Amino acid sequence: MTWLLLPLALASGGLAAGGLMIASLGGAPLLERLPRDEYIPVHQFLVTRFDPFMPICMITATACDLALMFMVPGAVRIPLLVALATLLGAIYVSLVKNVPINRWVAGLDLEDLPEDWESVDPRVRWRNWNLLRTAFAVAALAGNAVAASLVLGGV
């Protein structure tokens, strides 16, 4: 089963890290530069493209890593534990920080924006939390890569 789960963890974790990296390097800087009447529809559009793809990737990688913890030799468990912990960190940040912002923006109507937009504008908060979950996802990918190299090396 390791021969199936480890490549699946690498692929799904890599897709998650890549998607978050795209959002960090391109999406967030773009959204921050847009005027609010353009920002809101663009954010609403982008969220529908990344969801449910990103959660599926992160959950798949997490499930694979969890299952692999019971299948691999002890030395391989250390990088898998790093991958598992950092994926859980990325999922936590997503659920507790980014998703609530995404839902709030999804419910905004350009005709009925808050008067105090500058005090509620979520772009900087969203970017900062996204950078954290991106770092977690990249660390998870690195953990899975180390685990794969150990398995391939015969540990």
PDB file of all heavy atoms in Angstrom, residues 16 19-20 47 50-51 54-59 86-103 125-126 128-137:
ATOM      1  N   ALA A  16      -1.642  21.009  -3.530  1.00  0.00           N
ATOM      2  CA  ALA A  16      -2.080  21.961  -2.501  1.00  0.00           C
ATOM      3  C   ALA A  16      -1.043  23.053  -2.305  1.00  0.00           C
ATOM      4  O   ALA A  16      -1.375  24.251  -2.290  1.00  0.00           O
ATOM      5  CB  ALA A  16      -2.356  21.240  -1.185  1.00  0.00           C
ATOM      6  N   GLY A  19      -1.028  25.297  -5.393  1.00  0.00           N
ATOM      7  CA  GLY A  19      -2.190  26.185  -5.443  1.00  0.00           C
ATOM      8  C   GLY A  19      -2.070  27.337  -4.458  1.00  0.00           C
ATOM      9  O   GLY A  19      -2.377  28.493  -4.787  1.00  0.00           O
ATOM     10  N   LEU A  20      -1.606  27.024  -3.262  1.00  0.00           N
ATOM     11  CA  LEU A  20      -1.426  28.086  -2.264  1.00  0.00           C
ATOM     12  C   LEU A  20      -0.294  29.027  -2.657  1.00  0.00           C
ATOM     13  O   LEU A  20      -0.364  30.233  -2.409  1.00  0.00           O
ATOM     14  CB  LEU A  20      -1.172  27.474  -0.884  1.00  0.00           C
ATOM     15  CG  LEU A  20      -2.393  26.799  -0.261  1.00  0.00           C
ATOM     16  CD1 LEU A  20      -2.001  25.993   0.964  1.00  0.00           C
ATOM     17  CD2 LEU A  20      -3.458  27.827   0.088  1.00  0.00           C
ATOM     18  N   VAL A  47     -12.367  32.300  -5.536  1.00  0.00           N
ATOM     19  CA  VAL A  47     -12.699  31.333  -4.485  1.00  0.00           C
ATOM     20  C   VAL A  47     -13.453  30.141  -5.071  1.00  0.00           C
ATOM     21  O   VAL A  47     -13.208  28.996  -4.689  1.00  0.00           O
ATOM     22  CB  VAL A  47     -13.494  32.008  -3.351  1.00  0.00           C
ATOM     23  CG1 VAL A  47     -14.123  30.984  -2.425  1.00  0.00           C
ATOM     24  CG2 VAL A  47     -12.580  32.927  -2.561  1.00  0.00           C
ATOM     25  N   PHE A  50     -10.901  27.643  -6.568  1.00  0.00           N
ATOM     26  CA  PHE A  50     -10.008  26.909  -5.681  1.00  0.00           C
ATOM     27  C   PHE A  50     -10.761  25.970  -4.742  1.00  0.00           C
ATOM     28  O   PHE A  50     -10.186  25.054  -4.178  1.00  0.00           O
ATOM     29  CB  PHE A  50      -9.150  27.881  -4.857  1.00  0.00           C
ATOM     30  CG  PHE A  50      -8.020  28.478  -5.647  1.00  0.00           C
ATOM     31  CD1 PHE A  50      -8.185  29.654  -6.360  1.00  0.00           C
ATOM     32  CD2 PHE A  50      -6.788  27.849  -5.676  1.00  0.00           C
ATOM     33  CE1 PHE A  50      -7.147  30.199  -7.084  1.00  0.00           C
ATOM     34  CE2 PHE A  50      -5.735  28.389  -6.408  1.00  0.00           C
ATOM     35  CZ  PHE A  50      -5.918  29.567  -7.115  1.00  0.00           C
ATOM     36  N   ASP A  51     -12.029  26.221  -4.534  1.00  0.00           N
ATOM     37  CA  ASP A  51     -12.827  25.401  -3.632  1.00  0.00           C
ATOM     38  C   ASP A  51     -13.821  24.620  -4.492  1.00  0.00           C
ATOM     39  O   ASP A  51     -14.535  25.228  -5.279  1.00  0.00           O
ATOM     40  CB  ASP A  51     -13.564  26.304  -2.646  1.00  0.00           C
ATOM     41  CG  ASP A  51     -14.189  25.558  -1.490  1.00  0.00           C
ATOM     42  OD1 ASP A  51     -13.864  24.373  -1.316  1.00  0.00           O
ATOM     43  OD2 ASP A  51     -14.987  26.162  -0.770  1.00  0.00           O
ATOM     44  N   MET A  54      -8.775  22.679  -3.481  1.00  0.00           N
ATOM     45  CA  MET A  54      -7.737  22.766  -2.450  1.00  0.00           C
ATOM     46  C   MET A  54      -8.070  21.911  -1.222  1.00  0.00           C
ATOM     47  O   MET A  54      -7.197  21.165  -0.746  1.00  0.00           O
ATOM     48  CB  MET A  54      -7.495  24.224  -2.055  1.00  0.00           C
ATOM     49  CG  MET A  54      -6.917  25.058  -3.188  1.00  0.00           C
ATOM     50  SD  MET A  54      -5.335  24.434  -3.789  1.00  0.00           S
ATOM     51  CE  MET A  54      -4.344  24.714  -2.354  1.00  0.00           C
ATOM     52  N   PRO A  55      -9.289  21.985  -0.687  1.00  0.00           N
ATOM     53  CA  PRO A  55      -9.587  21.109   0.455  1.00  0.00           C
ATOM     54  C   PRO A  55      -9.434  19.628   0.124  1.00  0.00           C
ATOM     55  O   PRO A  55      -8.920  18.856   0.948  1.00  0.00           O
ATOM     56  CB  PRO A  55     -11.036  21.449   0.810  1.00  0.00           C
ATOM     57  CG  PRO A  55     -11.256  22.815   0.270  1.00  0.00           C
ATOM     58  CD  PRO A  55     -10.389  22.917  -0.948  1.00  0.00           C
ATOM     59  N   ILE A  56      -9.843  19.234  -1.057  1.00  0.00           N
ATOM     60  CA  ILE A  56      -9.701  17.824  -1.449  1.00  0.00           C
ATOM     61  C   ILE A  56      -8.226  17.424  -1.456  1.00  0.00           C
ATOM     62  O   ILE A  56      -7.857  16.359  -0.945  1.00  0.00           O
ATOM     63  CB  ILE A  56     -10.369  17.558  -2.817  1.00  0.00           C
ATOM     64  CG1 ILE A  56     -11.895  17.652  -2.686  1.00  0.00           C
ATOM     65  CG2 ILE A  56      -9.936  16.211  -3.385  1.00  0.00           C
ATOM     66  CD1 ILE A  56     -12.632  17.654  -4.003  1.00  0.00           C
ATOM     67  N   CYS A  57      -7.379  18.282  -2.001  1.00  0.00           N
ATOM     68  CA  CYS A  57      -5.941  17.978  -2.038  1.00  0.00           C
ATOM     69  C   CYS A  57      -5.358  17.872  -0.639  1.00  0.00           C
ATOM     70  O   CYS A  57      -4.623  16.922  -0.329  1.00  0.00           O
ATOM     71  CB  CYS A  57      -5.192  19.051  -2.830  1.00  0.00           C
ATOM     72  SG  CYS A  57      -5.505  19.011  -4.602  1.00  0.00           S
ATOM     73  N   MET A  58      -5.678  18.827   0.228  1.00  0.00           N
ATOM     74  CA  MET A  58      -5.109  18.809   1.579  1.00  0.00           C
ATOM     75  C   MET A  58      -5.623  17.627   2.402  1.00  0.00           C
ATOM     76  O   MET A  58      -4.859  16.995   3.123  1.00  0.00           O
ATOM     77  CB  MET A  58      -5.378  20.137   2.288  1.00  0.00           C
ATOM     78  CG  MET A  58      -4.477  21.244   1.784  1.00  0.00           C
ATOM     79  SD  MET A  58      -4.355  22.630   2.908  1.00  0.00           S
ATOM     80  CE  MET A  58      -5.738  23.609   2.399  1.00  0.00           C
ATOM     81  N   ILE A  59      -6.888  17.329   2.273  1.00  0.00           N
ATOM     82  CA  ILE A  59      -7.448  16.202   3.029  1.00  0.00           C
ATOM     83  C   ILE A  59      -6.892  14.876   2.512  1.00  0.00           C
ATOM     84  O   ILE A  59      -6.580  13.974   3.297  1.00  0.00           O
ATOM     85  CB  ILE A  59      -8.989  16.238   2.991  1.00  0.00           C
ATOM     86  CG1 ILE A  59      -9.486  17.431   3.828  1.00  0.00           C
ATOM     87  CG2 ILE A  59      -9.591  14.935   3.492  1.00  0.00           C
ATOM     88  CD1 ILE A  59     -10.942  17.761   3.633  1.00  0.00           C
ATOM     89  N   THR A  86       2.122  19.674   9.714  1.00  0.00           N
ATOM     90  CA  THR A  86       2.039  20.930   8.968  1.00  0.00           C
ATOM     91  C   THR A  86       0.813  20.968   8.046  1.00  0.00           C
ATOM     92  O   THR A  86       0.246  22.044   7.840  1.00  0.00           O
ATOM     93  CB  THR A  86       3.345  21.201   8.191  1.00  0.00           C
ATOM     94  OG1 THR A  86       3.683  20.055   7.400  1.00  0.00           O
ATOM     95  CG2 THR A  86       4.489  21.513   9.142  1.00  0.00           C
ATOM     96  N   LEU A  87       0.395  19.821   7.544  1.00  0.00           N
ATOM     97  CA  LEU A  87      -0.864  19.800   6.789  1.00  0.00           C
ATOM     98  C   LEU A  87      -2.039  20.148   7.697  1.00  0.00           C
ATOM     99  O   LEU A  87      -2.932  20.909   7.305  1.00  0.00           O
ATOM    100  CB  LEU A  87      -1.095  18.426   6.153  1.00  0.00           C
ATOM    101  CG  LEU A  87      -0.387  18.171   4.836  1.00  0.00           C
ATOM    102  CD1 LEU A  87      -0.428  16.694   4.482  1.00  0.00           C
ATOM    103  CD2 LEU A  87      -0.997  19.011   3.726  1.00  0.00           C
ATOM    104  N   LEU A  88      -2.021  19.597   8.898  1.00  0.00           N
ATOM    105  CA  LEU A  88      -3.085  19.943   9.853  1.00  0.00           C
ATOM    106  C   LEU A  88      -3.042  21.429  10.190  1.00  0.00           C
ATOM    107  O   LEU A  88      -4.091  22.066  10.356  1.00  0.00           O
ATOM    108  CB  LEU A  88      -2.977  19.082  11.113  1.00  0.00           C
ATOM    109  CG  LEU A  88      -3.330  17.607  10.911  1.00  0.00           C
ATOM    110  CD1 LEU A  88      -3.007  16.803  12.171  1.00  0.00           C
ATOM    111  CD2 LEU A  88      -4.794  17.431  10.518  1.00  0.00           C
ATOM    112  N   GLY A  89      -1.846  21.997  10.264  1.00  0.00           N
ATOM    113  CA  GLY A  89      -1.723  23.439  10.474  1.00  0.00           C
ATOM    114  C   GLY A  89      -2.322  24.229   9.320  1.00  0.00           C
ATOM    115  O   GLY A  89      -3.041  25.217   9.529  1.00  0.00           O
ATOM    116  N   ALA A  90      -2.049  23.799   8.098  1.00  0.00           N
ATOM    117  CA  ALA A  90      -2.608  24.479   6.918  1.00  0.00           C
ATOM    118  C   ALA A  90      -4.129  24.373   6.894  1.00  0.00           C
ATOM    119  O   ALA A  90      -4.826  25.346   6.578  1.00  0.00           O
ATOM    120  CB  ALA A  90      -2.011  23.884   5.643  1.00  0.00           C
ATOM    121  N   ILE A  91      -4.640  23.210   7.241  1.00  0.00           N
ATOM    122  CA  ILE A  91      -6.094  23.020   7.271  1.00  0.00           C
ATOM    123  C   ILE A  91      -6.714  23.895   8.361  1.00  0.00           C
ATOM    124  O   ILE A  91      -7.752  24.544   8.143  1.00  0.00           O
ATOM    125  CB  ILE A  91      -6.437  21.525   7.469  1.00  0.00           C
ATOM    126  CG1 ILE A  91      -6.067  20.732   6.211  1.00  0.00           C
ATOM    127  CG2 ILE A  91      -7.910  21.344   7.817  1.00  0.00           C
ATOM    128  CD1 ILE A  91      -6.101  19.223   6.390  1.00  0.00           C
ATOM    129  N   TYR A  92      -6.092  23.931   9.524  1.00  0.00           N
ATOM    130  CA  TYR A  92      -6.598  24.754  10.625  1.00  0.00           C
ATOM    131  C   TYR A  92      -6.656  26.232  10.228  1.00  0.00           C
ATOM    132  O   TYR A  92      -7.689  26.885  10.413  1.00  0.00           O
ATOM    133  CB  TYR A  92      -5.717  24.565  11.870  1.00  0.00           C
ATOM    134  CG  TYR A  92      -6.160  25.440  13.016  1.00  0.00           C
ATOM    135  CD1 TYR A  92      -7.225  25.063  13.824  1.00  0.00           C
ATOM    136  CD2 TYR A  92      -5.518  26.648  13.275  1.00  0.00           C
ATOM    137  CE1 TYR A  92      -7.643  25.877  14.865  1.00  0.00           C
ATOM    138  CE2 TYR A  92      -5.926  27.467  14.313  1.00  0.00           C
ATOM    139  CZ  TYR A  92      -6.989  27.078  15.105  1.00  0.00           C
ATOM    140  OH  TYR A  92      -7.407  27.893  16.123  1.00  0.00           O
ATOM    141  N   VAL A  93      -5.559  26.750   9.686  1.00  0.00           N
ATOM    142  CA  VAL A  93      -5.538  28.160   9.269  1.00  0.00           C
ATOM    143  C   VAL A  93      -6.606  28.411   8.205  1.00  0.00           C
ATOM    144  O   VAL A  93      -7.304  29.430   8.235  1.00  0.00           O
ATOM    145  CB  VAL A  93      -4.137  28.573   8.769  1.00  0.00           C
ATOM    146  CG1 VAL A  93      -4.158  29.953   8.116  1.00  0.00           C
ATOM    147  CG2 VAL A  93      -3.137  28.547   9.924  1.00  0.00           C
ATOM    148  N   SER A  94      -6.737  27.476   7.284  1.00  0.00           N
ATOM    149  CA  SER A  94      -7.758  27.628   6.232  1.00  0.00           C
ATOM    150  C   SER A  94      -9.149  27.737   6.835  1.00  0.00           C
ATOM    151  O   SER A  94      -9.904  28.653   6.514  1.00  0.00           O
ATOM    152  CB  SER A  94      -7.715  26.439   5.275  1.00  0.00           C
ATOM    153  OG  SER A  94      -6.509  26.403   4.567  1.00  0.00           O
ATOM    154  N   LEU A  95      -9.483  26.782   7.712  1.00  0.00           N
ATOM    155  CA  LEU A  95     -10.837  26.724   8.269  1.00  0.00           C
ATOM    156  C   LEU A  95     -11.146  27.874   9.223  1.00  0.00           C
ATOM    157  O   LEU A  95     -12.269  28.383   9.244  1.00  0.00           O
ATOM    158  CB  LEU A  95     -11.057  25.396   8.990  1.00  0.00           C
ATOM    159  CG  LEU A  95     -11.116  24.162   8.105  1.00  0.00           C
ATOM    160  CD1 LEU A  95     -11.179  22.906   8.958  1.00  0.00           C
ATOM    161  CD2 LEU A  95     -12.296  24.239   7.152  1.00  0.00           C
ATOM    162  N   VAL A  96     -10.164  28.278  10.013  1.00  0.00           N
ATOM    163  CA  VAL A  96     -10.409  29.258  11.068  1.00  0.00           C
ATOM    164  C   VAL A  96     -10.185  30.697  10.596  1.00  0.00           C
ATOM    165  O   VAL A  96     -10.832  31.623  11.114  1.00  0.00           O
ATOM    166  CB  VAL A  96      -9.526  28.936  12.297  1.00  0.00           C
ATOM    167  CG1 VAL A  96      -9.611  30.002  13.354  1.00  0.00           C
ATOM    168  CG2 VAL A  96      -9.927  27.586  12.876  1.00  0.00           C
ATOM    169  N   LYS A  97      -9.326  30.891   9.609  1.00  0.00           N
ATOM    170  CA  LYS A  97      -8.975  32.256   9.201  1.00  0.00           C
ATOM    171  C   LYS A  97      -9.410  32.589   7.767  1.00  0.00           C
ATOM    172  O   LYS A  97     -10.128  33.551   7.547  1.00  0.00           O
ATOM    173  CB  LYS A  97      -7.458  32.492   9.363  1.00  0.00           C
ATOM    174  CG  LYS A  97      -6.978  32.321  10.789  1.00  0.00           C
ATOM    175  CD  LYS A  97      -7.641  33.330  11.711  1.00  0.00           C
ATOM    176  CE  LYS A  97      -7.110  33.223  13.132  1.00  0.00           C
ATOM    177  NZ  LYS A  97      -7.702  34.198  14.021  1.00  0.00           N
ATOM    178  N   ASN A  98      -8.930  31.824   6.781  1.00  0.00           N
ATOM    179  CA  ASN A  98      -9.192  32.192   5.390  1.00  0.00           C
ATOM    180  C   ASN A  98     -10.615  31.915   4.930  1.00  0.00           C
ATOM    181  O   ASN A  98     -11.223  32.744   4.252  1.00  0.00           O
ATOM    182  CB  ASN A  98      -8.190  31.501   4.457  1.00  0.00           C
ATOM    183  CG  ASN A  98      -6.800  32.042   4.630  1.00  0.00           C
ATOM    184  OD1 ASN A  98      -6.033  31.517   5.438  1.00  0.00           O
ATOM    185  ND2 ASN A  98      -6.445  33.079   3.911  1.00  0.00           N
ATOM    186  N   VAL A  99     -11.149  30.762   5.293  1.00  0.00           N
ATOM    187  CA  VAL A  99     -12.505  30.427   4.852  1.00  0.00           C
ATOM    188  C   VAL A  99     -13.547  31.414   5.380  1.00  0.00           C
ATOM    189  O   VAL A  99     -14.420  31.852   4.613  1.00  0.00           O
ATOM    190  CB  VAL A  99     -12.856  28.961   5.200  1.00  0.00           C
ATOM    191  CG1 VAL A  99     -14.337  28.687   5.007  1.00  0.00           C
ATOM    192  CG2 VAL A  99     -12.025  28.004   4.346  1.00  0.00           C
ATOM    193  N   PRO A 100     -13.495  31.822   6.652  1.00  0.00           N
ATOM    194  CA  PRO A 100     -14.469  32.831   7.100  1.00  0.00           C
ATOM    195  C   PRO A 100     -14.372  34.143   6.302  1.00  0.00           C
ATOM    196  O   PRO A 100     -15.394  34.759   5.996  1.00  0.00           O
ATOM    197  CB  PRO A 100     -14.117  33.050   8.571  1.00  0.00           C
ATOM    198  CG  PRO A 100     -13.499  31.761   8.994  1.00  0.00           C
ATOM    199  CD  PRO A 100     -12.722  31.285   7.793  1.00  0.00           C
ATOM    200  N   ILE A 101     -13.160  34.548   5.953  1.00  0.00           N
ATOM    201  CA  ILE A 101     -13.009  35.757   5.126  1.00  0.00           C
ATOM    202  C   ILE A 101     -13.606  35.511   3.748  1.00  0.00           C
ATOM    203  O   ILE A 101     -14.346  36.359   3.223  1.00  0.00           O
ATOM    204  CB  ILE A 101     -11.527  36.168   5.027  1.00  0.00           C
ATOM    205  CG1 ILE A 101     -11.013  36.645   6.385  1.00  0.00           C
ATOM    206  CG2 ILE A 101     -11.337  37.265   3.968  1.00  0.00           C
ATOM    207  CD1 ILE A 101      -9.502  36.870   6.450  1.00  0.00           C
ATOM    208  N   ASN A 102     -13.315  34.349   3.164  1.00  0.00           N
ATOM    209  CA  ASN A 102     -13.873  34.030   1.843  1.00  0.00           C
ATOM    210  C   ASN A 102     -15.399  34.052   1.870  1.00  0.00           C
ATOM    211  O   ASN A 102     -16.039  34.572   0.950  1.00  0.00           O
ATOM    212  CB  ASN A 102     -13.398  32.657   1.373  1.00  0.00           C
ATOM    213  CG  ASN A 102     -11.930  32.636   1.024  1.00  0.00           C
ATOM    214  OD1 ASN A 102     -11.289  33.673   0.845  1.00  0.00           O
ATOM    215  ND2 ASN A 102     -11.371  31.446   0.945  1.00  0.00           N
ATOM    216  N   ARG A 103     -15.978  33.490   2.917  1.00  0.00           N
ATOM    217  CA  ARG A 103     -17.448  33.473   3.017  1.00  0.00           C
ATOM    218  C   ARG A 103     -18.011  34.875   3.185  1.00  0.00           C
ATOM    219  O   ARG A 103     -19.062  35.197   2.629  1.00  0.00           O
ATOM    220  CB  ARG A 103     -17.879  32.569   4.170  1.00  0.00           C
ATOM    221  CG  ARG A 103     -17.678  31.110   3.848  1.00  0.00           C
ATOM    222  CD  ARG A 103     -18.239  30.202   4.920  1.00  0.00           C
ATOM    223  NE  ARG A 103     -18.020  28.817   4.534  1.00  0.00           N
ATOM    224  CZ  ARG A 103     -17.800  27.843   5.379  1.00  0.00           C
ATOM    225  NH1 ARG A 103     -17.784  28.068   6.675  1.00  0.00           N
ATOM    226  NH2 ARG A 103     -17.603  26.620   4.952  1.00  0.00           N
ATOM    227  N   ARG A 125      -5.268  40.833   5.949  1.00  0.00           N
ATOM    228  CA  ARG A 125      -5.418  39.684   6.850  1.00  0.00           C
ATOM    229  C   ARG A 125      -5.447  38.382   6.061  1.00  0.00           C
ATOM    230  O   ARG A 125      -4.784  37.410   6.417  1.00  0.00           O
ATOM    231  CB  ARG A 125      -6.704  39.799   7.690  1.00  0.00           C
ATOM    232  CG  ARG A 125      -6.617  40.784   8.821  1.00  0.00           C
ATOM    233  CD  ARG A 125      -7.901  40.840   9.634  1.00  0.00           C
ATOM    234  NE  ARG A 125      -9.012  41.360   8.835  1.00  0.00           N
ATOM    235  CZ  ARG A 125     -10.143  40.702   8.601  1.00  0.00           C
ATOM    236  NH1 ARG A 125     -10.363  39.518   9.126  1.00  0.00           N
ATOM    237  NH2 ARG A 125     -11.097  41.245   7.863  1.00  0.00           N
ATOM    238  N   TRP A 126      -6.217  38.369   4.970  1.00  0.00           N
ATOM    239  CA  TRP A 126      -6.310  37.163   4.153  1.00  0.00           C
ATOM    240  C   TRP A 126      -4.938  36.792   3.607  1.00  0.00           C
ATOM    241  O   TRP A 126      -4.533  35.627   3.657  1.00  0.00           O
ATOM    242  CB  TRP A 126      -7.306  37.360   3.002  1.00  0.00           C
ATOM    243  CG  TRP A 126      -7.583  36.089   2.269  1.00  0.00           C
ATOM    244  CD1 TRP A 126      -8.595  35.216   2.494  1.00  0.00           C
ATOM    245  CD2 TRP A 126      -6.806  35.524   1.201  1.00  0.00           C
ATOM    246  NE1 TRP A 126      -8.501  34.148   1.639  1.00  0.00           N
ATOM    247  CE2 TRP A 126      -7.414  34.317   0.833  1.00  0.00           C
ATOM    248  CE3 TRP A 126      -5.658  35.921   0.524  1.00  0.00           C
ATOM    249  CZ2 TRP A 126      -6.914  33.502  -0.178  1.00  0.00           C
ATOM    250  CZ3 TRP A 126      -5.156  35.105  -0.476  1.00  0.00           C
ATOM    251  CH2 TRP A 126      -5.791  33.909  -0.817  1.00  0.00           C
ATOM    252  N   ASN A 128      -1.922  37.537   4.790  1.00  0.00           N
ATOM    253  CA  ASN A 128      -1.023  37.068   5.848  1.00  0.00           C
ATOM    254  C   ASN A 128      -1.336  35.640   6.285  1.00  0.00           C
ATOM    255  O   ASN A 128      -0.426  34.825   6.457  1.00  0.00           O
ATOM    256  CB  ASN A 128      -1.054  38.021   7.034  1.00  0.00           C
ATOM    257  CG  ASN A 128      -0.449  39.369   6.690  1.00  0.00           C
ATOM    258  OD1 ASN A 128       0.288  39.515   5.709  1.00  0.00           O
ATOM    259  ND2 ASN A 128      -0.757  40.369   7.490  1.00  0.00           N
ATOM    260  N   TRP A 129      -2.616  35.339   6.448  1.00  0.00           N
ATOM    261  CA  TRP A 129      -2.982  33.967   6.810  1.00  0.00           C
ATOM    262  C   TRP A 129      -2.675  33.005   5.671  1.00  0.00           C
ATOM    263  O   TRP A 129      -2.272  31.864   5.902  1.00  0.00           O
ATOM    264  CB  TRP A 129      -4.449  33.881   7.220  1.00  0.00           C
ATOM    265  CG  TRP A 129      -4.700  34.520   8.545  1.00  0.00           C
ATOM    266  CD1 TRP A 129      -5.480  35.611   8.808  1.00  0.00           C
ATOM    267  CD2 TRP A 129      -4.155  34.126   9.811  1.00  0.00           C
ATOM    268  NE1 TRP A 129      -5.455  35.915  10.146  1.00  0.00           N
ATOM    269  CE2 TRP A 129      -4.648  35.009  10.794  1.00  0.00           C
ATOM    270  CE3 TRP A 129      -3.300  33.102  10.217  1.00  0.00           C
ATOM    271  CZ2 TRP A 129      -4.308  34.903  12.141  1.00  0.00           C
ATOM    272  CZ3 TRP A 129      -2.963  32.998  11.557  1.00  0.00           C
ATOM    273  CH2 TRP A 129      -3.468  33.890  12.497  1.00  0.00           C
ATOM    274  N   ASN A 130      -2.851  33.441   4.447  1.00  0.00           N
ATOM    275  CA  ASN A 130      -2.543  32.590   3.302  1.00  0.00           C
ATOM    276  C   ASN A 130      -1.047  32.288   3.242  1.00  0.00           C
ATOM    277  O   ASN A 130      -0.655  31.165   2.905  1.00  0.00           O
ATOM    278  CB  ASN A 130      -3.012  33.235   2.000  1.00  0.00           C
ATOM    279  CG  ASN A 130      -2.866  32.276   0.849  1.00  0.00           C
ATOM    280  OD1 ASN A 130      -3.548  31.260   0.785  1.00  0.00           O
ATOM    281  ND2 ASN A 130      -1.955  32.585  -0.055  1.00  0.00           N
ATOM    282  N   LEU A 131      -0.219  33.270   3.561  1.00  0.00           N
ATOM    283  CA  LEU A 131       1.227  33.027   3.579  1.00  0.00           C
ATOM    284  C   LEU A 131       1.590  31.965   4.616  1.00  0.00           C
ATOM    285  O   LEU A 131       2.444  31.108   4.365  1.00  0.00           O
ATOM    286  CB  LEU A 131       1.988  34.325   3.855  1.00  0.00           C
ATOM    287  CG  LEU A 131       2.007  35.328   2.714  1.00  0.00           C
ATOM    288  CD1 LEU A 131       2.590  36.671   3.188  1.00  0.00           C
ATOM    289  CD2 LEU A 131       2.785  34.795   1.523  1.00  0.00           C
ATOM    290  N   LEU A 132       0.934  32.006   5.767  1.00  0.00           N
ATOM    291  CA  LEU A 132       1.205  31.007   6.802  1.00  0.00           C
ATOM    292  C   LEU A 132       0.787  29.615   6.342  1.00  0.00           C
ATOM    293  O   LEU A 132       1.552  28.649   6.468  1.00  0.00           O
ATOM    294  CB  LEU A 132       0.499  31.379   8.108  1.00  0.00           C
ATOM    295  CG  LEU A 132       0.683  30.381   9.255  1.00  0.00           C
ATOM    296  CD1 LEU A 132       2.157  30.217   9.621  1.00  0.00           C
ATOM    297  CD2 LEU A 132      -0.137  30.820  10.465  1.00  0.00           C
ATOM    298  N   ARG A 133      -0.417  29.494   5.796  1.00  0.00           N
ATOM    299  CA  ARG A 133      -0.846  28.159   5.374  1.00  0.00           C
ATOM    300  C   ARG A 133      -0.036  27.673   4.176  1.00  0.00           C
ATOM    301  O   ARG A 133       0.183  26.474   4.018  1.00  0.00           O
ATOM    302  CB  ARG A 133      -2.347  28.105   5.125  1.00  0.00           C
ATOM    303  CG  ARG A 133      -2.845  28.890   3.959  1.00  0.00           C
ATOM    304  CD  ARG A 133      -4.350  28.829   3.867  1.00  0.00           C
ATOM    305  NE  ARG A 133      -4.824  29.631   2.750  1.00  0.00           N
ATOM    306  CZ  ARG A 133      -6.013  29.513   2.210  1.00  0.00           C
ATOM    307  NH1 ARG A 133      -6.867  28.621   2.689  1.00  0.00           N
ATOM    308  NH2 ARG A 133      -6.371  30.282   1.208  1.00  0.00           N
ATOM    309  N   THR A 134       0.465  28.585   3.350  1.00  0.00           N
ATOM    310  CA  THR A 134       1.350  28.202   2.259  1.00  0.00           C
ATOM    311  C   THR A 134       2.652  27.629   2.812  1.00  0.00           C
ATOM    312  O   THR A 134       3.137  26.587   2.341  1.00  0.00           O
ATOM    313  CB  THR A 134       1.646  29.403   1.343  1.00  0.00           C
ATOM    314  OG1 THR A 134       0.410  29.888   0.802  1.00  0.00           O
ATOM    315  CG2 THR A 134       2.574  29.029   0.201  1.00  0.00           C
ATOM    316  N   ALA A 135       3.214  28.286   3.813  1.00  0.00           N
ATOM    317  CA  ALA A 135       4.442  27.778   4.441  1.00  0.00           C
ATOM    318  C   ALA A 135       4.210  26.391   5.028  1.00  0.00           C
ATOM    319  O   ALA A 135       5.059  25.494   4.886  1.00  0.00           O
ATOM    320  CB  ALA A 135       4.928  28.755   5.512  1.00  0.00           C
ATOM    321  N   PHE A 136       3.071  26.202   5.676  1.00  0.00           N
ATOM    322  CA  PHE A 136       2.738  24.880   6.216  1.00  0.00           C
ATOM    323  C   PHE A 136       2.657  23.839   5.099  1.00  0.00           C
ATOM    324  O   PHE A 136       3.183  22.730   5.231  1.00  0.00           O
ATOM    325  CB  PHE A 136       1.402  24.919   6.961  1.00  0.00           C
ATOM    326  CG  PHE A 136       1.461  25.468   8.354  1.00  0.00           C
ATOM    327  CD1 PHE A 136       0.386  26.195   8.858  1.00  0.00           C
ATOM    328  CD2 PHE A 136       2.547  25.266   9.188  1.00  0.00           C
ATOM    329  CE1 PHE A 136       0.401  26.698  10.156  1.00  0.00           C
ATOM    330  CE2 PHE A 136       2.578  25.757  10.483  1.00  0.00           C
ATOM    331  CZ  PHE A 136       1.493  26.480  10.965  1.00  0.00           C
ATOM    332  N   ALA A 137       1.985  24.167   4.010  1.00  0.00           N
ATOM    333  CA  ALA A 137       1.813  23.211   2.915  1.00  0.00           C
ATOM    334  C   ALA A 137       3.146  22.880   2.243  1.00  0.00           C
ATOM    335  O   ALA A 137       3.388  21.723   1.873  1.00  0.00           O
ATOM    336  CB  ALA A 137       0.815  23.746   1.892  1.00  0.00           C
TER     337      ALA A 137
END
